[in-house]
Amino acid sequence: TFSQLKEKFITDGNLVEAREATEEDLLVAHTKRYLNRLKWSPVVATITEIPPLVFLPNFLVQRKVLKPLRTQTGGTIMAGKLAVERGWAINVGGGFHHCSGDRGGGFCAYADITLAIKFLFERVDGISRATIIDLDAHQGNGHERDFLDDQRVFIMDMYNCHIYPRDGYAKKAIKRKVELDWGTEDSEYLQKVELHCEGALNEVRPDIIIYNAGTDILDGDPLGGLSISPHGIVKRDELVFRAARRRGIPILMVTSGGYQKKTARIIADSILNLHHQGLIGPEAMEGEGSSSLVMSLMSGPGSAGSAFTTI
């Protein structure tokens, strides 16, 4: 994904390495007890669903697994501020929507969406309402549990209702719930995306949109159970960005789940399409602007990972 984007969209002069989220950062959303539990390899093995981690000493688990996830989390926090400053930001990474402040699960060890919103509420003037548009194939039960009683956060969640996590308690936080059936295809899916994104943003006008853009909706994904084409994913992202740009609302996109090799190419194609449509990049801004693309890519299994921001 990085090489494809770099070739057509970003340059070396725009790249700045993103900062790994510190424990102090993480405590904005997480309990100390939860962070301490991550110092036990069996706990991390359960959360990330990687059983062999049980046998690794925790210093290796920290370095090889949790540090890359903290870097992606730091990328989401950074992208939130960039979105407010420049109108849009994309973290190619993050979107750990099954993790809440006191529990992880479903590959998600840190609650980056919750953290980004809380950082903006606490540290950026003029940000007092947020809308989460979660279009990953799975219900986003982590941020839903975190914001269950917080009227400042409007959650729209569109997901396959037959798969993990089926969290009935968390569903109470969803203000606009769209449950999909097995094998939903492009035509029905895109119609619902447009209808409900427009409806959600007409119902409550937020100061920031957090868009969880999982690509596990792709036909053939082993976990998502939906049947959306690569073109459908590109069009979905365009619809969400158009809804945000039309209203002048800053948007932060995270890429979340996607479990096929071709996913990276589709994410790159979608970002390039957003640029081609004038929905991201300097031409999308009012006045002077810069790119705000945060790269939080792990180069392979066991990689320490890296995150980059174009500014």
Side-chain angles (χ1 to χ4, degrees):
T1 309
F2 177 66
S3 60
Q4 293 153 4
L5 290 172
K6 186 176 178 183
E7 181 183 333
K8 297 181 181 177
F9 181 39
I10 55 179
T11 64
D12 283 336
N14 290 334
L15 286 178
V16 179
E17 191 167 1
R19 180 178 58 83
E20 176 188 348
T22 64
E23 183 169 359
E24 183 183 358
D25 294 334
L26 297 171
L27 285 169
V28 169
H30 288 290
T31 62
K32 185 79 170 172
R33 178 178 174 274
Y34 174 72
L35 295 180
N36 284 337
R37 290 185 66 227
L38 296 180
K39 295 172 183 173
W40 294 87
S41 297
V43 171
V44 180
T46 301
I47 288 170
T48 59
E49 301 184 22
I50 308 173
L53 294 183
V54 168
F55 305 107
L56 281 184
N58 192 258
F59 79 90
L60 282 177
V61 172
Q62 293 290 331
R63 191 164 73 209
K64 300 294 187 180
V65 179
L66 293 179
K67 182 175 180 179
L69 298 180
R70 287 193 296 268
T71 302
Q72 292 186 56
T73 298
T76 302
I77 295 168
M78 175 184 289
K81 187 167 182 289
L82 286 171
V84 172
E85 290 174 355
R86 296 165 185 176
W88 68 275
I90 299 170
N91 184 18
V92 185
F96 305 133
H97 66 156
H98 299 306
C99 187
S100 61
D102 60 0
R103 75 174 195 177
F107 312 143
C108 303
Y110 300 109
D112 67 316
I113 292 173
T114 299
L115 281 161
I117 291 172
K118 288 195 169 186
F119 264 84
L120 291 173
F121 283 171
E122 293 176 14
R123 304 184 188 190
V124 178
D125 290 340
I127 305 297
S128 59
R129 285 184 298 188
T131 289
I132 299 169
I133 297 176
D134 195 334
L135 300 185
D136 185 274
H138 300 80
Q139 177 199 351
N141 62 320
H143 57 72
E144 287 161 11
R145 283 176 171 263
D146 283 335
F147 294 118
L148 189 62
D149 299 313
D150 193 332
Q151 296 307 309
R152 299 173 298 173
V153 180
F154 183 101
I155 297 174
M156 170 188 156
D157 200 349
M158 189 161 114
Y159 55 89
N160 182 342
C161 62
H162 303 294
I163 59 175
Y164 176 91
R166 294 193 288 267
D167 189 334
Y169 178 75
K171 284 182 186 180
K172 293 189 286 186
I174 305 173
K175 305 291 200 306
R176 186 170 281 254
K177 179 173 63 179
V178 188
E179 296 192 326
L180 302 173
D181 213 340
W182 294 110
T184 299
E185 296 181 350
D186 284 19
S187 177
E188 177 190 348
Y189 181 81
L190 292 172
Q191 190 176 10
K192 287 182 173 178
V193 167
E194 186 165 23
L195 174 69
H196 291 288
C197 283
E198 295 288 340
L201 295 174
N202 287 341
E203 191 171 335
V204 174
R205 182 185 172 89
D207 303 308
I208 181 79
I209 296 165
I210 293 82
Y211 169 37
N212 197 50
T215 47
D216 52 0
I217 63 170
L218 182 65
D219 186 26
D221 189 278
L223 300 180
L226 302 176
S227 299
I228 309 306
S229 70
H231 172 75
I233 291 174
V234 171
K235 187 66 181 173
R236 172 199 70 172
D237 295 346
E238 183 183 325
L239 286 171
V240 176
F241 269 76
R242 282 201 188 281
R245 303 307 303 157
R246 195 181 306 120
R247 294 167 173 81
I249 303 169
I251 181 168
L252 156 60
M253 170 175 151
V254 288
T255 53
S256 201
Y259 309 99
Q260 298 184 73
K261 282 187 176 178
K262 52 188 167 183
T263 289
R265 173 81 243 183
I266 295 167
I267 293 169
D269 287 345
S270 179
I271 293 171
L272 292 169
N273 178 64
L274 293 173
H275 184 244
H276 177 71
Q277 298 291 335
L279 295 168
I280 63 174
E283 63 274 23
M285 305 300 97
E286 293 181 7
E288 291 188 19
S290 305
S291 297
S292 25
L293 183 67
V294 179
M295 304 292 288
S296 305
L297 300 177
M298 287 181 282
S299 58
S303 162
S306 61
F308 297 92
T309 312
T310 66
I311 57 173

